[in-house]
Amino acid sequence: MARGELMKKLLASYGREDDFRAVAEQIILEEEQKNNRVLARSLRKTLDHATATSGNTSKPAQPKSLGALITFPDAGSDFVERVEPTHTKSDITLSHANIRVFTGLIQEFRRSDEIRRNGLPVRSKLLFCGPPGCGKTLCAEVFAVELGLPLFVVKLDQLISSYLGETAGNVRKIFEFARKQPCVLFLDEFDALARSRDDSAEHNELRRVVNSLLLFIDRMQTRGFMIAATNLDSSLDAAIWRRFDEVVWFDRPDLSLIAKFVSSKFCNSPVDFEATKHIHLLEGYSYAEIERVCIQAIKSPIIKRRKKITEQDFIAAIGDETRRRTGRARL
């Protein structure tokens, strides 16, 4: 939308908090798409501060955890929660293939208006697959930061109603919200919603939920992204896969990625040995498990009042993780 039209809408909405904030978010989004990140962050900080102080008026401010940028349709706030990212791209290690995928998605998002003007679709529906602890949730958070979009997480436990007939209606509400609000909408444990309809153990009503979900994804038009994540890709309905613009695979790291990840975790800690000599002991481990090893090793000199992490600290931490993982000590 032309900047002049946005400014007119902003002035016209003054006094109507929800409308005013929605137009302000559009202006911020345009600055983010132009890669004016400093200005966009400054505008968002000012907008968030104004919302926080609005509690002095007759209308109470909403909790920060529920980012009321646009009014949630039909009590949709019961199912969607805004999450403030705490990580950046320096906190994640990705394969070269995934770096290429995400770089392309970010560039495409920043040129989305030009792409649409040429009659072409913009990729906005992503499916993350892979074992637990391999970076799917962290990547969704970092992706939102890099795009400059708010991150909203679907509360799946509340979305799936004990009254089965209500679940499809609840799913509709989150897709309606994503249509109105430019954001990264994250659905973890997606297999709980999109389980194969061929599974004889599934209730007929849950099959109808999958039918509705397929329809909602097909019709979804958003200025942000929907990211679904699953550890159980083999359980997904066969018709789900083609509904996504991109499928991203998160595997356990190979030795080169383990070395890079361990080095990044120890970069601000004094170490008196070469940690990469022992990375073969971590082969087959997830990023979450390796991070736990590194944190335990970093804590050891603090507990023992030493200045540096020793080789024995690192080996002992690997041994603890092996015991936790297998039920017996390896080292």
Side-chain angles (χ1 to χ4, degrees):
M1 185 180 295
R3 174 55 60 87
E5 289 300 314
L6 279 175
M7 296 305 294
K8 284 166 62 178
K9 285 182 67 176
L10 186 70
L11 293 174
S13 64
Y14 183 75
R16 301 192 304 275
E17 183 177 340
D18 290 334
D19 292 343
F20 184 86
R21 187 174 177 89
V23 179
E25 280 289 338
Q26 285 182 272
I27 293 173
I28 294 170
L29 179 62
E30 280 200 359
E31 295 302 328
E32 289 166 341
Q33 291 175 335
K34 294 174 184 175
N35 209 25
N36 295 333
R37 303 291 292 280
V38 175
L39 174 59
R41 285 175 182 167
S42 176
L43 289 172
R44 192 178 296 284
K45 184 176 180 180
T46 301
L47 185 61
D48 288 342
H49 177 72
T51 300
T53 57
S54 66
N56 297 328
T57 68
S58 58
K59 183 177 181 179
Q62 290 183 279
K64 190 174 182 180
S65 61
L66 295 178
L69 309 183
I70 293 178
T71 304
F72 283 88
D74 302 325
S77 57
D78 291 340
F79 317 117
V80 182
E81 179 179 16
R82 184 172 183 181
V83 174
E84 294 296 337
T86 58
H87 296 90
T88 65
K89 62 182 179 182
S90 63
D91 298 316
I92 193 168
T93 303
L94 295 172
S95 66
H96 291 300
N98 283 353
I99 289 173
R100 183 178 58 80
V101 169
F102 288 113
T103 299
L105 287 167
I106 290 169
Q107 291 173 340
E108 192 169 315
F109 173 76
R110 290 174 178 164
R111 298 288 182 270
S112 57
D113 287 342
E114 298 169 45
I115 292 170
R116 290 189 181 96
R117 280 198 296 269
N118 282 276
L120 298 170
V122 176
R123 290 177 293 174
S124 62
K125 293 172 277 193
L126 314 178
L127 178 61
F128 288 2
C129 299
C134 288
K136 298 185 295 297
T137 302
L138 175 60
C139 190
E141 182 179 328
V142 173
F143 190 55
V145 171
E146 289 300 300
L147 293 169
L149 290 173
L151 174 64
F152 289 90
V153 176
V154 174
K155 296 182 280 186
L156 207 62
D157 57 332
Q158 297 186 39
L159 184 73
I160 301 176
S161 174
S162 57
Y163 301 100
L164 290 175
E166 295 181 1
T167 300
N170 296 343
V171 172
R172 178 187 61 78
K173 291 171 186 176
I174 66 167
F175 278 92
E176 177 67 12
F177 172 72
R179 183 181 66 81
K180 293 184 177 181
Q181 170 62 58
C183 65
V184 172
L185 181 72
F186 184 59
L187 295 90
D188 202 1
E189 298 181 3
F190 186 60
D191 47 277
L193 269 183
R195 192 170 294 275
S196 173
R197 289 166 293 180
D198 294 333
D199 188 340
S200 60
E202 293 299 341
H203 192 281
N204 284 338
E205 182 60 36
L206 290 178
R207 293 192 182 100
R208 283 193 282 272
V209 169
V210 176
N211 290 338
S212 298
L213 181 63
L214 293 170
L215 184 62
F216 292 140
I217 296 176
D218 267 341
R219 293 180 176 177
M220 183 178 182
Q221 294 182 345
T222 177
R223 293 284 177 167
F225 287 85
M226 182 195 77
I227 299 176
T230 180
N231 304 328
L232 302 170
D233 52 272
S234 60
S235 298
L236 295 180
D237 191 90
I240 283 288
W241 295 87
R242 69 179 181 83
R243 263 70 182 187
F244 287 91
D245 303 318
E246 194 66 68
V247 178
V248 185
W249 295 93
F250 291 80
D251 297 318
R252 289 185 176 88
D254 60 22
L255 290 178
S256 64
L257 290 175
I258 292 172
K260 183 178 179 181
F261 186 73
V262 170
S263 296
S264 72
K265 291 301 171 184
F266 285 162
C267 68
N268 294 320
S269 302
V271 178
D272 69 355
F273 70 103
E274 182 54 58
T276 55
K277 289 194 307 182
H278 301 287
I279 60 170
H280 64 282
L281 299 173
L282 295 169
E283 189 171 10
Y285 284 61
S286 70
Y287 283 115
E289 291 168 327
I290 298 168
E291 181 176 40
R292 195 156 47 229
V293 167
C294 294
I295 290 173
Q296 191 59 38
I298 291 168
K299 287 193 292 187
S300 291
I302 299 172
I303 294 169
K304 297 174 183 177
R305 296 186 176 181
R306 287 190 270 103
K307 291 184 178 179
K308 292 185 177 182
I309 303 168
T310 67
E311 189 170 26
Q312 187 55 42
D313 293 331
F314 190 49
I315 292 175
I318 295 174
D320 284 341
E321 189 59 35
T322 300
R323 174 187 50 75
R324 172 192 174 112
R325 195 174 192 242
T326 65
R328 61 182 184 275
R330 173 175 160 185
L331 300 170

